[in-house]
Amino acid sequence: MLTVPIRPAPEIQADLIESGLRAANTHIFEQNKIWARYSDEKADIAESLMGIMRRFGKTLPHDKPLRALSIGSSSEPQFRLLEAGFRGGLYLFDKEPAALDVVNEKIARQQIRNVTTVHGDYTERFSDPRTAANTLIDDLGGHRFELITLHHALYYADPAQWQALIEALVQSVLAPDGVIHIVLMSPEDQRLGTTTCLYNTFARRFFDHENRQDLLQLKQDLISGDVLKDDELVFEPRDVRFIADDFEKLMSVIWMIMLYPDTHDYSLAQRREITAYVRDNFWLDGRPLLQVQDSLSIYRGRCALH
C-alpha cells in the first residue's frame, strides 16, 4: 500500500511542484520505462502478443523464421519477447535517437544478432505504398514482416493520416500472412481519474484540443476501404492502472500523457497548474491513474480466422 502525507507543509508542497516541473524534461523512453514498471499495461500487451504468436503457430509452418517490425517502441519491455519470438529479424524503427541508443548499447553488450535499429520518422517513411516499399528495401532488409506493432506510436500522427499509413504498411511491408497490432489510449472514457479526462481537461483549455484519436473509427475506415476488405480486424478495450511511489515519476508519465513537448508546448504557468492539479487530485489522495486502452489487431491471409 502506497503511503503519502495527507496534506504536507507548504514548503513540501512547493518542492513537489518543482519536482513535477523537472519531470517535464524526462526523455520519452524514460517515461515509458516508468509507465512500464508501475502500470500493468505491459503484461496486458504481452498477453496480446502471445495470442498472436499462438495464431502464428496454428497457421504458419513451424520452421518458418518470423520477422517483426516495432514502430515507435524501441526500448519498451516487449523488446525481449519480440527478440525471442522473431529470430528471422526484429527491426526497431524510432524517431528518438536516445531510445535507439539504449537498445544499441544492449545489443552490443549482450551480442544480440537478430535485432536492427532504424532511425526515422515513420509518418514520412510509411506515408504511402511506394515510399513504404522503398523504406523496406533501403532500411528494413527487403523482406516483409509477419508482425508489425504500433504501441502508442499513432499519438504523433494526425488521425487523418492513419488510414493511408496502415494501408501502406499492409500493401508494402506486412507479409501476406501477418498481423498488425496497434495500441492507443481510448478517447471515450471521460471519468474523473482517467488519462483521457486529464488530457482533455488541459488540452481543451489551453489549446482548444481534445483527444480524437479513435482506433474504433480507424477500424471502420479500414473496413470501408478496398485494401483490408478481406482481412480480420479485432477491436478490444482494456483497463490499465498506474500508481507510482515517487511524485517525480508520476509527473514524468503525466507529461507523456499530456504530449509535452512534442505536440503541446505548455507554458511554465500551464505546467505549474497541471502539476498542482495532479498533486492535489492524485498524489495527496494516493489515487491511481486509470487508462482505458484500445487495441486494434489486423489479421491478414492465413492468420485471419474467417
Side-chain angles (χ1 to χ4, degrees):
M1 175 68 70
L2 184 67
T3 58
V4 295
I6 299 301
R7 281 288 177 264
E11 62 271 16
I12 297 178
Q13 294 197 44
D15 287 344
L16 288 174
I17 295 294
E18 295 309 311
S19 174
L21 294 176
R22 284 196 305 272
N25 299 318
T26 310
H27 286 292
I28 190 168
F29 77 89
E30 296 172 310
Q31 296 167 343
N32 268 323
K33 187 175 181 179
I34 294 168
W35 172 259
R37 180 173 182 180
Y38 293 95
S39 78
D40 54 2
E41 182 212 34
K42 299 311 171 187
D44 180 71
I45 287 181
E47 181 182 349
S48 297
L49 290 177
M50 290 306 297
I52 292 171
M53 293 299 294
R54 287 194 297 270
R55 183 88 63 112
F56 287 146
K58 293 177 181 178
T59 58
L60 300 181
H62 290 178
D63 60 350
K64 180 179 177 62
L66 302 178
R67 286 165 48 84
L69 170 64
S70 174
I71 298 176
S73 56
S74 301
S75 62
E76 291 193 14
Q78 59 262 40
F79 166 87
R80 270 294 175 215
L81 181 61
L82 294 175
E83 186 270 331
F86 294 85
R87 305 304 293 179
L90 168 61
Y91 282 74
L92 306 175
F93 194 104
D94 205 296
K95 68 176 184 177
E96 187 176 6
L100 296 177
D101 289 344
V102 172
V103 179
N104 284 328
E105 187 277 331
K106 182 185 296 185
I107 290 171
R109 173 167 40 86
Q110 299 181 352
Q111 300 183 40
I112 299 172
R113 292 181 170 82
N114 65 314
V115 179
T116 303
T117 61
V118 182
H119 176 247
D121 186 341
Y122 75 92
T123 63
E124 297 176 357
R125 302 296 297 281
F126 303 108
S127 58
D128 59 74
R130 187 172 184 178
T131 303
N134 289 336
T135 300
L136 180 69
I137 294 169
D138 295 340
D139 298 302
L140 303 175
H143 300 287
R144 289 175 176 244
F145 296 89
E146 281 70 37
L147 174 66
I148 300 174
T149 66
L150 295 103
H151 294 160
H152 300 290
L154 289 184
Y155 293 131
Y156 305 100
D158 187 333
Q161 298 176 284
W162 287 5
Q163 182 175 356
L165 186 144
I166 299 302
E167 289 179 346
L169 287 171
V170 168
Q171 290 174 293
S172 300
V173 183
L174 186 67
D177 304 306
V179 181
I180 295 179
H181 188 240
I182 309 168
V183 176
L184 273 183
M185 179 178 75
S186 172
E188 297 299 329
D189 198 315
Q190 300 294 335
R191 292 174 296 169
L192 289 175
T194 65
T195 55
T196 301
C197 179
L198 181 65
Y199 173 83
N200 284 341
T201 295
F202 292 102
R204 187 184 295 119
R205 182 189 307 170
F206 297 143
F207 300 102
D208 193 27
H209 184 273
E210 61 183 24
N211 180 19
R212 299 186 183 92
Q213 297 179 317
D214 191 341
L215 281 187
L216 187 57
Q217 182 60 53
L218 175 61
K219 176 186 176 183
Q220 299 306 318
D221 293 341
L222 292 171
I223 290 173
S224 300
D226 294 328
V227 176
L228 282 78
K229 60 183 179 181
D230 296 323
D231 299 329
E232 178 191 0
L233 280 71
V234 178
F235 174 86
E236 185 177 16
R238 296 191 181 186
D239 288 342
V240 173
R241 186 175 182 269
F242 172 90
I243 186 164
D245 60 0
D246 177 89
F247 185 67
E248 190 165 338
K249 293 174 183 175
L250 169 60
M251 285 306 305
S252 293
V253 167
I254 294 296
W255 297 124
M256 179 177 68
I257 292 165
M258 301 305 294
L259 302 181
Y260 173 84
D262 292 296
T263 300
H264 302 310
D265 189 10
Y266 302 96
S267 69
L268 177 59
Q270 291 167 346
R271 277 178 276 147
R272 285 187 178 277
E273 182 177 343
I274 293 168
T275 302
Y277 180 89
V278 173
R279 177 197 63 190
D280 295 343
N281 292 277
F282 290 92
W283 179 252
L284 295 182
D285 295 333
R287 174 191 288 185
L289 190 62
L290 302 177
Q291 178 159 291
V292 178
Q293 200 155 266
D294 294 338
S295 69
L296 177 62
S297 300
I298 301 168
Y299 298 94
R300 190 166 182 79
R302 286 182 289 177
C303 292
L305 290 181
H306 60 259

